[in-house]
Amino acid sequence: RPRVLSGIQPTAGSFHLGNYLGAVRQWVALQETHDAFYMVVDLHAITVPQDPAELRANTRLAAAQLLAAGLDPERCTLFVQSHVPEHAQLGWVMNCLTGFGEASRMTQFKDKSAKQGAERATVGLFTYPILQVADILLYQADQVPVGEDQRQHIELTRDLAERFNGRFGRTFTLPAPYILKETAKIYDLQDPQIKMSKSASTPKGLINLLDEPKATAKKVKSAVTDTDTVIRFDPAGKPGVSNLLTILSTLTGTGVAELEQGYEGKGYGALKTDLAEVMVDFVTPFRARTQEFLDDPETLDSLLAKGAEKARAVAAETLAQTYDRVGFLPAK
Ligand code: TYM
């Protein structure tokens, strides 16, 4: 079985629809066909300030949501990044292989540090992509299921894997991005030119999966479309409508062309009403299942401990080989 690896940050509150459609949905499907490793990346989370108690709670919350979304610990390895110390250890080796200029060209870093101000951005934020490289290489992943915004980090991973292999002998598998075209980038409902994200300008454009279903329906109904009335998939000309069609198509499994036909002669109101209903049907059980996992933290924690144990077995082997190749003296 080919191997996949991916990660998600333990953000406050809940995952948003972009996380789910762009990544987590694929994770659920891939656990059936691939040797799958998925993690909550708490080491990455502290690249920006975190309240300790909240970070801990958000890490559990993230794991609960992943389970609610359909990850099955019998079918995949689900774990918390900090439970596997090899991530930080391989991260250091990768830091020492990365050029300063190379790291400076990472667009996510440039965006995030510009927002925070250069003085406040941490060195951890700067080396964030390099830790991600270590995450992927530790598991010798063949594919990395993510949204479009992570593509550059996977390119960096390939570059560093090739560099290491060239310098020290073949050690790492070169991973490929696994990015589905249709859902690579889900857009903000109020500003369909920008991707849906927690840092969006207005909360109205962001669908949080754990929000009150009623609030979600309201956000869908007030999504920005355009002054035309025709329901047609045309991302350049009709970004708002196209985004709604993508979401509806993915959640219902109905092709976009078929949806277009079905809405012929109908207005945006009909599309929004239908999507609002589909969204409510999706988030209602999702919320309930997440709450069930949260209500039993002992089971959740022990499930994560088992995941970490499985992950460590793989990670330790790769790290040992890497340390040997680099020339570290083995501890007797
Ligand atoms: P994160 O936590 O920001 O996002 C998790 C996943 O959601 C995807 N995503 C989207 N997809 C489509 N449309 C959107 N609007 C949208 N917003 C977010 C992201 O592309 C991502 O796949 N750096 C990563 C976490 C990470 C990781 C890794 C991923 C750490 N180590 C190793 C893969 C492999 C991140 O911050 O994702």
Side-chain angles (χ1 to χ4, degrees), residues 5-11 15-24 26-27 37 39-42 44-45 81 87 108 112 128-129 131-137 141 143-151 153-154 157 178-180 182-188 194-198 206 243:
L5 172 290
S6 199
I8 189 160
Q9 296 210 48
T11 46
F15 295 160
H16 59 71
L17 188 63
N19 296 137
Y20 177 71
L21 294 181
V24 175
Q26 281 66 264
W27 299 9
F37 289 77
M39 63 180 167
V40 180
V41 295
D42 52 353
H44 279 107
Q81 189 185 29
H87 290 258
Q108 280 219 330
K112 284 190 192 170
Y128 178 118
L131 179 61
Q132 185 167 346
V133 167
D135 294 341
I136 298 167
L137 296 183
Q143 287 171 310
V144 185
V146 286
E148 182 61 38
D149 60 356
Q150 298 299 313
R151 189 184 289 280
H153 292 165
I154 299 168
T157 309
Y178 180 94
I179 301 174
L180 295 190
E182 298 75 26
T183 51
K185 193 168 175 183
I186 300 298
Y187 295 88
D188 188 289
I194 60 168
K195 75 169 178 189
M196 185 177 287
S197 96
K198 284 268 177 195
L206 172 71
N243 191 39

Side-chain angles (χ1 to χ4, degrees), residues 190 200-208 211 219:
Q190 285 300 312
S201 44
T202 145
K204 278 179 71 189
L206 172 71
I207 302 281
N208 284 309
D211 278 354
K219 284 183 188 178

